[in-house]
Amino acid sequence: MKFQLRLLATIFLSFQSILAFSQEKYTHADSLRGSITPERAWWDLKHYDLAVEIFPENKSIKGSNTVRYQVKNASQTLQIDLQEPLKIISVTQDGADLKVRKDGAAHFVSLEKKQVPGATEEIVVRYEGKPVVAVRPPWDGGITWTKDSNGKDYIASSNQGIGSSIWWPTKDHPADEVDSLKISVTVPNGLMDVSNGRLIKTDKGDKTTTYHWAVNKPINDYGVNINIGDYVHFGEKYAGEKGELDMDYYVLRENLEKAKVHFKDAGRMMKAFEHWFGPYPFYEDGFKLVDAPYLGMEHQSSVTYGNGYQNGYRGRDLSGTGWGLKFDFIIIHEAGHEWFANNITYQDVADMWIHESFTNYSESLFVEYYYGKDAGQEYVRGTRMAIANDIPIIGKYGVNQRGSGDMYYKGGNMLNTLREVLNDDDKWREMLRGLNSEFYHQTVTTQQVEDYMAKAFGMDLQPIFDQYLRDVRIPILEYYFSDEKTMNYRWINSVASFDMPVDLILGEKKTRVKPTTKWSKLEVAGKSDVKVDEDYYVGISKMR
């Protein structure tokens, strides 16, 4: 009876959560930010040349972004995004000033030159102002202005949720990644900027120094970053699957000696993740870890770090098993995003699970690589205590709305459950590597990922994805014995089509069954304790 009451309460709360989720109100600004508007659809990003000067004394910036694009379809109005309080000073094409109509963060540029399909064009956007100050980075987003222990300026950007247009003018939608990027950052002498890709040159003036960085591979806008401080550098060469990889570390002067020891986790990460996911996706741009004045973020080829040079997540084991204290969470998790977020990028933030579920799961794969499969399985099971089952993991499309935070721990457990369903570890690893090969440097949808995995499995996975990504209930295997040798079983608390195979422990024997939402029968040697293999994220209930 107690279990039934808990189950009814769970179902009721789940229904209430789904109802509230479906009734959320979205604004005109949400649609301008989150949808592929007509003013975004007709042009394809090719290159950004971003130049920014930083003024720490009054927390302001000014700069320009030269946006190179290819015309796909004829149109004369282009949307560029920049959030207040920053202001666009001018937009020009071929030297001619253009009219701009502002609608919140969206700026609609009226192009005078005829836009011919197939042609490559540029606009130059000049801007300035005081960008939003990050209050709780990296979650709220903006610019962090602080000082290091020696009193020197320590500044960084972080903007995944709020958008890259919080500090520079962009086509602020994930569906269209820019093919390449140059970012030049001017800072007061005595400071250094570290950004994405490779440092190609440095220009030093009387009072300022400009650092020029170049990215030669596609990059998502939220992965572009600036990090400014009294940095010192060390590095190593990693013998990887595609040859020699430059791994560079930029840390505050005060952190150099401990970083030389602690950042050994970066090489361990690279070895484990190249095994599971395939070659690091950005050999041309190298890999960097960079000290930052906040916890950390997966900026492409410029992963930021602020975990206090300690193992775990700020010293805590998020799995509660002890395995999470065997590695630095931020180094492993944020670098895991190089494969899932930076190589494979969602086309809509509603599909953010593609980034976070796989990267959450990568933590357990790291543990498995170094400490064995049992350790990895224990780790991923331990994270279940953080699952809320509040709203669906997939968010609302077209309005810049992500889904539940369950995309981390529930998503990771969904993937681990799928691994159990497949029951072939070699094929599972082949599938993970195949995803990074098939969608190399691409933006993708949930449907593309689901279809690829179903093809790799050779089975229909749609009911499983519907259950874990689009529903909030934990499927429960219900069973009873109708006589000494017959067990009856079915799935309840699930979507109508749910038919996931599952491994049962009957006494000391493991047996795979294929339940549906209708009753099935299994011949057994006799009544015994029934358990579900604990690596499946499901429940079990015996009818009284």
Side-chain angles (χ1 to χ4, degrees), residues 133-325:
V133 175
V135 177
R136 188 172 172 261
W139 298 282
D140 64 333
I143 303 294
T144 298
W145 309 84
T146 186
K147 304 277 188 179
D148 66 17
S149 63
N150 295 315
K152 291 200 171 186
D153 288 303
Y154 190 23
I155 303 162
S157 62
S158 56
N159 51 252
Q160 181 178 15
I162 201 167
S164 53
S165 57
I166 199 71
W167 67 276
W168 60 291
T170 70
K171 186 180 187 178
D172 202 355
H173 192 281
D176 188 8
E177 283 190 343
V178 71
D179 295 343
S180 60
L181 165 79
K182 180 183 175 185
I183 177 170
S184 302
V185 183
T186 301
V187 298
N189 284 340
L191 299 176
M192 180 181 187
D193 169 71
V194 182
S195 291
N196 313 81
R198 295 187 182 274
L199 183 63
I200 53 176
K201 68 173 181 175
T202 303
D203 294 326
K204 187 168 184 179
D206 292 337
K207 296 182 178 181
T208 63
T209 303
T210 302
Y211 296 88
H212 302 271
W213 297 85
V215 176
N216 292 306
K217 291 297 179 183
I219 183 170
N220 57 63
D221 280 3
Y222 87 78
V224 177
N225 70 342
I226 55 173
N227 304 282
I228 298 161
D230 181 22
Y231 286 117
V232 291
H233 165 262
F234 68 102
E236 60 184 310
K237 305 289 186 182
Y238 178 79
E241 288 195 14
K242 289 179 69 174
E244 189 175 80
L245 172 64
D246 291 324
M247 298 184 68
D248 293 294
Y249 311 115
Y250 291 87
V251 300
L252 293 183
R253 193 173 302 277
E254 63 208 58
N255 293 332
L256 179 59
E257 294 309 315
K258 57 186 173 183
K260 286 180 178 179
V261 175
H262 196 76
F263 281 6
K264 289 180 180 178
D265 257 5
R268 298 175 73 217
M269 170 280 300
M270 195 63 68
K271 185 175 181 180
F273 288 168
E274 285 209 328
H275 168 82
W276 287 111
F277 304 140
Y280 173 69
F282 306 104
Y283 270 72
E284 296 86 348
D285 293 326
F287 173 85
K288 293 192 293 298
L289 270 181
V290 187
D291 263 349
Y294 58 87
L295 185 60
M297 193 68 196
E298 68 259 26
H299 303 108
Q300 185 172 309
S301 71
S302 181
V303 173
T304 46
Y305 176 83
N307 197 39
Y309 291 89
Q310 58 191 324
N311 282 354
Y313 178 94
R314 289 177 166 163
R316 295 187 295 116
D317 175 9
L318 296 180
S319 76
T321 64
W323 295 113
L325 295 178

Side-chain angles (χ1 to χ4, degrees), residues 374-409:
D374 287 347
Q377 293 294 306
E378 187 179 354
Y379 179 90
V380 73
R381 291 195 307 268
T383 64
R384 291 175 188 172
M385 61 184 175
I387 297 174
N389 287 309
D390 51 356
I391 59 174
I393 286 175
I394 292 179
K396 296 289 185 180
Y397 291 99
V399 289
N400 193 44
Q401 176 62 57
R402 67 184 68 181
S404 170
D406 280 349
M407 69 181 76
Y408 292 84
Y409 307 108

